[in-house]
Amino acid sequence: MSCSKLASRSCEPFPLFRPLDGRRQAILAKEIGEGWFLYGVYLGLSVGRLESIRHRHIGYLENMAIAMLEMWQQEKGSQATADVLYEAFQQLGRMDLAGMVRHVRRKSVLS
């Protein structure tokens, strides 16, 4: 859903990890699971960088997902918003993950 279809207040971009504390980040990473690599590519991260995450965290999917999300935020800076993540999960058919991000996004906007 684009910002034009949302109320302007809910479209204010904010960094992904501002609303996601460590606990929420871990929950999201656990749910991302084996799809972390595909989501990273979809979010614009290079295959080489994602491969380096895979090698550093062999056997620990949650750590791979967390590292991918952190790398995405570092590389994309202000472009790494919850809205972008929400749309990516929605377009990739992961409505469960999109719902988790949307919940955090709304909670942060209302705070």
Side-chain angles (χ1 to χ4, degrees):
M1 189 177 306
S2 69
C3 284
S4 62
K5 295 180 183 176
L6 297 170
S8 61
R9 184 171 174 202
S10 65
C11 279
E12 295 174 39
F14 51 85
L16 174 64
F17 291 104
R18 186 172 180 187
L20 285 181
D21 58 23
R23 182 172 90 30
R24 289 188 183 123
Q25 181 182 356
I27 291 168
L28 182 60
K30 183 177 183 178
E31 295 301 318
I32 286 173
E34 293 182 13
W36 73 271
F37 196 98
L38 171 66
Y39 305 140
V41 170
Y42 192 84
L43 290 168
L45 300 176
S46 73
V47 170
R49 299 284 311 265
L50 294 168
E51 285 292 344
S52 72
I53 289 174
R54 184 190 320 258
H55 291 295
R56 278 186 307 209
H57 302 286
I58 292 175
Y60 298 96
L61 282 176
E62 288 179 46
N63 291 350
M64 291 178 198
I66 289 170
M68 179 274 293
L69 290 169
E70 290 173 346
M71 180 182 288
W72 173 65
Q73 185 183 30
Q74 290 169 358
E75 286 191 11
K76 303 301 178 181
S78 65
Q79 299 295 317
T81 65
D83 285 330
V84 170
L85 194 60
Y86 171 78
E87 286 200 27
F89 287 143
Q90 191 176 40
Q91 290 176 10
L92 290 166
R94 287 297 306 265
M95 299 310 293
D96 57 328
L97 296 176
M100 290 174 70
V101 172
R102 182 178 58 200
H103 172 74
V104 170
R105 181 180 65 191
R106 283 187 180 162
K107 187 172 182 180
S108 175
V109 168
L110 296 174
S111 305

